[in-house]
Amino acid sequence: MSNDNLLPSGLPRIESLEMRGIVKKFPGVLANDHVDFDVKAGEIHALLGENGAGKSTLMKILYGLYHPEEGGIYLNGRPITINSPTDSLNHGIGMIHQHFMLVDNLTVAENVALGLKSSREPRLDLDVVSARVRELADKYGLRVDPDTVISKMAVGERQRVEIVKALYRGAALLVLDEPTAVLTPQEVDDLFVIFRQMAADGHALIFISHKLDEIFALTDRVTVLRDGRVTGAVLTSETNKNKLANMMVGREVSLTRERPSVTPGKARLKLENVSAVNEDGQPVLININLVVRSGEIVGVAGVSGNGQRPLAEAIAGLQRVGNGRVLMDDQDVTNLAPAQMFDAGLAYIPEERMHDGVIKDFSVAENFILQDHVRPPFAKGIFLNFKQIAAHAQELINAFSIKTPSRETLVKNLSGGNIQKLILARELARQPRVIIAAQPTRGVDIGATEYIHAQLLKQRSAGLATLLISEDLDEVKALSDRIVVLFGGEIMGELSHEEATPEKLGLLMAGEREIEKMIYTFDKGR
Amino acid sequence: MNLPFTITFEKRVADIPKWLPAATSIGSVIVAFIVSGVILKMIGGEPLRVAKFFYEATFGSWATFSDTIVKATPLIMVGLACAVAFKMKLWNIGAEGQFYIGAFAASLVVLIPMVSPDSPKVVVIGLMIIMGMLGGAIWGFFPGYLKARFQVNEIITTLMLNYIAVLWNNFWIFDRWSDAGFQMTPAFEKSAWLPRVTDYAREYGTFIDGGGGLANFMTSIGLERISGMTLHLGVAFGLVAAVVMWWIFDRSRWGYEIKLIGDNPKAARYAGLNITRNIVLVMMVSGALAGLAGMSEITGVVHRLQERISPGYGFTGIIVAWLAKLNPFAVIIVAILFGALIVAGREIQPSGLSQLLQGIILFMVISSDVLLRYKVRLVRAQAAVEAA
Ligand SMILES: Nc1ncnc2c1ncn2[C@@H]1O[C@H](COP(=O)(O)OP(=O)(O)OP(=O)(O)O)[C@@H](O)[C@H]1O
Ligand SMILES: [Mg+2]
């Protein structure tokens, strides 16, 4: 009988883990306000909530990274103290962070072994580690080669390495903080198979995601946080999307988008036969032709890494265009410097918002003037006009309802969704004529997503030309007037809003130009 | 282990309080003094007597304080030079070389000569300031350009350029301008001397001798004699430079850009900032400040170009900037402290004592950085036991 209480790895299961009355304060915010949360063996429990609701904070407390002001953690009914990640690992708790924690130039096995005792100290036992990694990988169909170097792996693979690493360390409970945010739909499906298998084997899983579809596809129970407080804990089978959205946001959230009909104006942005190569001389853009008109949203779909980033950067002056021309309002702007592009009326929401879009150690106010600190009213001669900067910041914080303790708060303390709102506010306030929005709602909660979509549609009605680059097909489909699909740096085809079905997009995204043509002609003929 | 408590390091999540960096700097200096005292005691010295002596030799009287300030003067400028580069995370460790080239370029004014030695002081000195800053700026330009254009590591280039600068100076003073075979040029004409307090001794000395209100006041603060005081106008350059740097850092557009690029060069690029130009500019400003220090030293103290005009000011400047947490006004205070250490090093035997202290201060400052990044907490072991 006792075997029933062991995991396949031979470790004891965590029958139940409870967090009771957890309170965690940060300057100006109550991140967790008497939160009760529990998870059982064999269960996948979703933690849901808006950006900044306190999900990551709660999980970091469980993992020993933060210390709560109040409350306790109970393992199988007995109180435990967790002062550090080492403590939590010893209790069988593993965590996969929102941002990966792997060492790029080490192999999988080396990463797994990092910080663990070797079986034959002081020498390494990488062969033993490799064998065990293979075993675990086989067990869960994780497809991970222990000898591959991390830097050579795609995001999806890295995710699997993180899971193997946690399993290797004997995790009986696994916290998954937005594991799907950066994965392609196919990778997400594969990952879910693994998660279900792990739960079936008696692991306890905590799953965080902003995508309601995923919650329904994967989890057994849902706990919803809002402003640090639990607003609901329900069985997934007994709820629906609207109810969950309501619990999260505290109001009705529209999950569908109204696209008012707008007659497109003149061509604002034009790419003519644009080609580009990367630092290694590999082609990243091949013969791109593209037009974005005033009052139009053109979606760029495709699996990431197929030229989306070079495309955006070629327009913004951050990637050299080898061949072809980029035109804005019929002016040749090919290979102008970024500052000149911004002056010409371009706005850019970069994909890696934390790295490229904001300065984490600058205040909110300072982040609002990244491009415009050189011109009035923010500049006064060679000096800065701090009064104007503060006023501008307050105005945008109010207009875009950005949640921040103050305009002087450092941006690194804001939640992901609010950072994204900040960037959007900054870019739109510059009154651009063309905007490139790259993954504008990745990792952003449904309330903020609704808001950002509404803003983009509002600007479309006001005549803005928008190039929307996104991996989220629902998003592309919901907002775009036309959709082009990138594959291997080439445009595989273009579909109108009406033509774009998930099937057709999927085929194009897989690089099936021939089939696309057939369907296309077939459709046209019909 | 059976300690009644365990020490835990918790990564700081909240912003650090504004006073904390200053507190850790001051704290590390105090701890360094205590540690040095303990070491002194262990080797049989008398720490308290040494401390008293140290004080008297550096701040004990106006005359010694003047000496301290004279040593602090180049350190202020060199410290500012390092601070501006470090703000942008450019590791300029070439202030020493920029100092030498600044001195060299400034002396060209007299040695070529570029103006007649009979010209008014303002003209000669003014020109020397310009040349000194220009020389340092050029010496900063090369590593800046290589870094900006070809990503050449500035630590290596600035370090190497130090040696080149010293040898370059040596060539001219040994081979071309040697004064009767000595390793120095002939002394500059008086028109190329920065005004010193002692130069006014005759004028004001008689004035004080004559009695009257001012004389009484001067006497009451112990300043009845100003002859022999070597304090020179260079300190004013340092103070003005500090104010200007503060303005740049805290008030100007350019300061914003420097911090922005230093914090996140990628985002700076995305925001359309010209990073290449800014790297070169910052290195040139940094070099110009170090060059000004060199100019001030030869016109204010040695009055000729010679070997070893710097006992490593350029390197001490790195410590000064770091200890001052890159704050221009703090640079002044720290520079005075290190000026005092240099003066004390001359007076106290063994003279290595003051270097020992410098080393310990640096060590403490660097290790105290941990306090800025982590919260150190004592957790009672009992609590852990109870809970388990
Ligand atoms: N280190 C910190 N210092 C100060 N405030 C913080 C810190 N970490 C989080 N916060 C604040 O605590 C609140 C909760 O943040 P948390 O990261 O837990 O949100 P989240 O639910 O994980 O959001 P997201 O969906 O964006 O990841 C936010 O208001 C955030 O600004
Ligand atoms: Mg989070």
Side-chain angles (χ1 to χ4, degrees), chain A residues 313 355 366 373 381-382 384, chain B residues 15 251 253 256-257 264 270:
Chain A
E313 298 197 342
H355 292 123
E366 286 174 317
H373 67 277
I382 61 164
L384 288 175
Chain B
D15 303 345
R251 300 279 145 214
R253 277 161 36 186
Y256 174 87
E257 293 188 4
N264 187 345
Y270 273 73

Side-chain angles (χ1 to χ4, degrees), chain B residues 320-344:
Chain B
V320 171
W322 207 249
L323 191 57
K325 296 283 189 281
L326 313 187
N327 176 321
F329 296 128
V331 163
I332 298 175
I333 298 170
V334 178
I336 293 174
L337 173 72
F338 276 75
L341 286 173
I342 294 175
V343 172

Side-chain angles (χ1 to χ4, degrees), chain B residues 338-356:
Chain B
F338 276 75
L341 286 173
I342 294 175
V343 172
R346 281 190 322 211
E347 305 283 330
I348 297 179
Q349 289 300 326
S351 66
L353 197 61
S354 129
Q355 265 145 353
L356 171 83

Side-chain angles (χ1 to χ4, degrees), chain B residues 17 118-119 123 291:
Chain B
D118 305 327
S119 316
V123 175

Side-chain angles (χ1 to χ4, degrees), chain A residues 26 31 50-57 66 98 178 210 413 415-416, chain B residues 13:
Chain A
F26 289 118
E50 286 184 286
N51 293 118
K55 306 178 296 289
S56 294
T57 303
Y66 293 163
Q98 213 162 344
E178 298 193 38
H210 289 293
N413 295 333
S415 74
Chain B
V13 291

Side-chain angles (χ1 to χ4, degrees), chain A residues 26-27 66-67 79 81 309 313 318 338-339 342 348 355-356 358-359 361-362 366 369-371 373-374 379 381-384 386 413, chain B residues 8 10-11 13-15 247 250-254 256-257 259-260 263-264 266-273 377 379 383-384 387-388:
Chain A
F26 289 118
Y66 293 163
H67 300 266
T81 2
R309 201 180 172 119
E313 298 197 342
L318 293 154
F342 296 140
Y348 180 25
H355 292 123
D356 305 336
V358 289
I359 314 288
D361 285 315
F362 274 27
E366 286 174 317
I369 56 162
L370 281 198
Q371 299 100 332
H373 67 277
V374 286
I382 61 164
F383 295 110
L384 288 175
F386 290 99
N413 295 333
Chain B
T8 67
E10 185 178 344
K11 224 176 154 82
V13 291
D15 303 345
W247 243 328
D250 272 38
R251 300 279 145 214
S252 80
R253 277 161 36 186
W254 193 43
Y256 174 87
E257 293 188 4
K259 279 183 284 178
L260 204 162
D263 269 2
N264 187 345
K266 257 182 101 196
R269 203 169 87 90
Y270 273 73
L273 264 64
R377 308 197 317 167
V379 179

Side-chain angles (χ1 to χ4, degrees), chain A residues 59-363:
Chain A
M59 291 302 111
K60 283 179 184 167
I61 289 171
L62 182 59
Y63 196 56
L65 287 170
Y66 293 163
H67 300 266
E69 271 88 44
E70 279 177 43
I73 302 174
Y74 300 81
L75 185 78
N76 298 332
R78 297 232 310 278
I80 55 169
T81 2
I82 297 178
N83 271 323
S84 69
T86 320
D87 290 352
S88 77
L89 271 174
N90 289 339
H91 287 301
I93 299 166
M95 179 149 172
I96 295 182
H97 293 271
Q98 213 162 344
H99 311 280
F100 296 156
M101 308 266 175
L102 296 170
V103 183
D104 267 5
N105 48 6
L106 296 185
T107 65
V108 172
E110 284 164 340
N111 263 287
V112 169
L114 208 64
L116 297 181
K117 258 200 148 20
S118 158
S119 59
R120 38 175 196 275
E121 295 277 339
R123 285 174 305 132
L124 286 174
D125 60 347
L126 285 177
D127 49 331
V128 182
V129 176
S130 291
R132 178 93 182 104
V133 165
R134 260 195 208 100
E135 198 182 306
L136 281 169
D138 281 351
K139 169 90 183 59
Y140 292 100
L142 277 164
R143 294 203 317 276
V144 169
D145 172 18
D147 302 322
T148 312
V149 177
I150 300 294
S151 59
K152 297 220 174 95
M153 299 182 131
V155 259
E157 289 179 87
R158 292 181 196 208
Q159 187 85 62
R160 294 199 289 270
V161 175
E162 287 278 13
I163 296 170
V164 168
K165 193 170 125 193
L167 289 174
Y168 185 95
R169 285 158 193 240
L173 183 155
L174 209 56
V175 179
L176 306 151
D177 196 350
E178 298 193 38
T180 57
V182 290
L183 301 186
T184 62
Q186 184 54 46
E187 285 172 321
V188 171
D189 288 344
D190 292 350
L191 199 61
F192 281 7
V193 174
I194 296 163
F195 290 161
R196 286 196 198 96
Q197 176 65 51
M198 287 170 62
D201 282 343
H203 290 89
L205 268 63
I206 302 173
F207 177 79
I208 300 179
S209 171
H210 289 293
K211 294 181 188 149
L212 294 178
D213 287 325
E214 295 180 356
I215 305 288
F216 284 97
L218 184 69
T219 67
D220 305 307
R221 254 199 309 162
V222 192
T223 293
V224 182
L225 284 180
R226 181 164 82 229
D227 293 333
R229 238 166 298 157
V230 175
T231 50
V234 288
L235 291 178
T236 314
S237 55
E238 291 173 4
T239 184
N240 62 40
K241 280 191 193 178
N242 282 322
K243 278 191 203 161
L244 285 183
N246 227 324
M247 275 191 258
M248 277 167 72
V249 188
R251 61 176 165 85
E252 289 295 332
V253 180
S254 143
L255 298 171
T256 55
R257 304 286 173 252
E258 291 288 329
R259 273 175 74 259
S261 76
V262 175
T263 320
K266 62 176 207 146
R268 275 273 143 83
L269 175 71
K270 225 189 251 173
L271 275 71
E272 292 177 352
N273 300 315
V274 169
S275 298
V277 293
N278 64 9
E279 283 153 12
D280 305 331
Q282 306 290 325
V284 285
L285 291 178
I286 303 162
N287 226 9
I288 302 282
N289 284 290
L290 191 68
V291 181
V292 188
R293 296 185 190 85
S294 164
E296 190 179 48
I297 296 180
V298 175
V300 178
V303 177
S304 81
N306 275 294
Q308 287 91 333
R309 201 180 172 119
L311 176 64
E313 298 197 342
I315 299 168
L318 293 154
Q319 151 82 51
R320 237 197 117 63
V321 173
N323 266 319
R325 298 199 303 165
V326 180
L327 301 160
M328 256 176 81
D329 285 328
D330 296 325
Q331 297 275 328
D332 191 339
V333 293
T334 320
N335 288 328
L336 286 190
Q340 291 170 300
M341 290 305 294
F342 296 140
D343 287 344
L346 179 78
Y348 180 25
I349 301 175
E351 159 180 356
E352 298 255 351
R353 59 172 165 260
M354 292 304 270
H355 292 123
D356 305 336
V358 289
I359 314 288
K360 282 185 255 182
D361 285 315
F362 274 27
S363 71

